[in-house]
Amino acid sequence: MMAESEGCLSRPIRGIKAVKIRMKSYRRELWFDVPTRRAFINITPQIESCLQASGITEGLALVNAMHITASVFINDDESGLHHDYETWLEQLAPHEPVSRYQHNRTGEDNADAHIKRQVMGREVVVAVTAGHLDFGPWEQIFYGEFDGGRKKRVLVKIIGD
């Protein structure tokens, strides 16, 4: 009889010896202080630098915004696309009038930034293969700022061998 404990089978498998594998782990914070309210910044070079510093050649890289009005996403580094994002996001959740949002009744004026972050996402995970970020054609990692004017951070966590 097999018992399940938190999604794992607790019965040993005959003929297979348990092996403890120790993987490497790397953590770094990137800080941004964007002077404008909104911006898209290609952070791929910083992530590649972190990967090289980690010494990890096979694994996963997690990159996530550590603030609720900023985003990390993957797409093409093409100015027309960035303009289209800006236009579409502003149509979806316009900054003004700030009185349209319940959140702004707390004295804030950034409810739109929270919504834009939710749409664009909090994090990305990229495979690491042969010491490189395993991207598809044209893929790059971006930091999306939706309520600039103060310091915010992005966490880079890389695990593997």
Side-chain angles (χ1 to χ4, degrees):
M1 176 173 197
M2 286 189 290
E4 284 194 39
S5 174
E6 296 182 23
C8 297
L9 297 177
S10 61
R11 183 184 76 172
I13 300 172
R14 285 190 191 157
I16 297 179
K17 186 177 179 181
V19 178
K20 220 177 195 184
I21 299 174
R22 176 101 174 127
M23 73 174 127
K24 295 179 188 174
S25 176
Y26 174 91
R27 182 185 190 279
R28 180 166 173 216
E29 292 179 1
L30 306 175
W31 287 86
F32 298 92
D33 192 354
V34 177
T36 57
R37 184 164 186 84
R38 288 183 296 279
F40 299 125
I41 301 168
N42 186 334
I43 61 172
T44 307
Q46 292 98 314
I47 307 309
E48 288 172 337
S49 177
C50 290
L51 179 56
Q52 295 311 309
S54 76
I56 294 170
T57 58
E58 299 291 328
L60 297 171
L62 167 75
V63 184
N64 71 273
M66 300 288 282
H67 199 278
I68 55 178
T69 59
S71 176
V72 173
F73 63 96
I74 294 178
N75 215 308
D76 190 359
D77 193 3
E78 194 276 311
S79 61
L81 179 61
H82 297 180
H83 178 283
D84 293 342
Y85 272 144
E86 175 68 28
T87 302
W88 180 71
L89 288 167
E90 193 58 24
Q91 288 172 352
L92 183 67
H95 174 63
E96 294 181 334
V98 295
S99 61
R100 76 184 310 151
Y101 300 104
Q102 293 282 323
H103 172 71
N104 290 343
R105 294 182 184 167
T106 65
E108 301 273 353
D109 72 345
N110 65 356
D112 68 300
H114 291 273
I115 295 168
K116 290 168 180 155
R117 184 275 180 100
Q118 195 68 30
V119 169
M120 296 301 287
R122 176 182 186 261
E123 77 269 323
V124 298
V125 176
V126 180
V128 173
T129 304
H132 298 283
L133 297 171
D134 208 343
F135 286 132
W138 311 111
E139 288 186 330
Q140 299 285 296
I141 303 172
F142 291 89
Y143 171 74
E145 176 61 72
F146 306 113
D147 187 28
R150 58 193 153 155
K151 287 182 74 172
K152 296 181 188 172
R153 64 192 163 123
V154 168
L155 172 68
V156 180
K157 181 76 172 190
I158 305 171
I159 58 172
D161 295 322

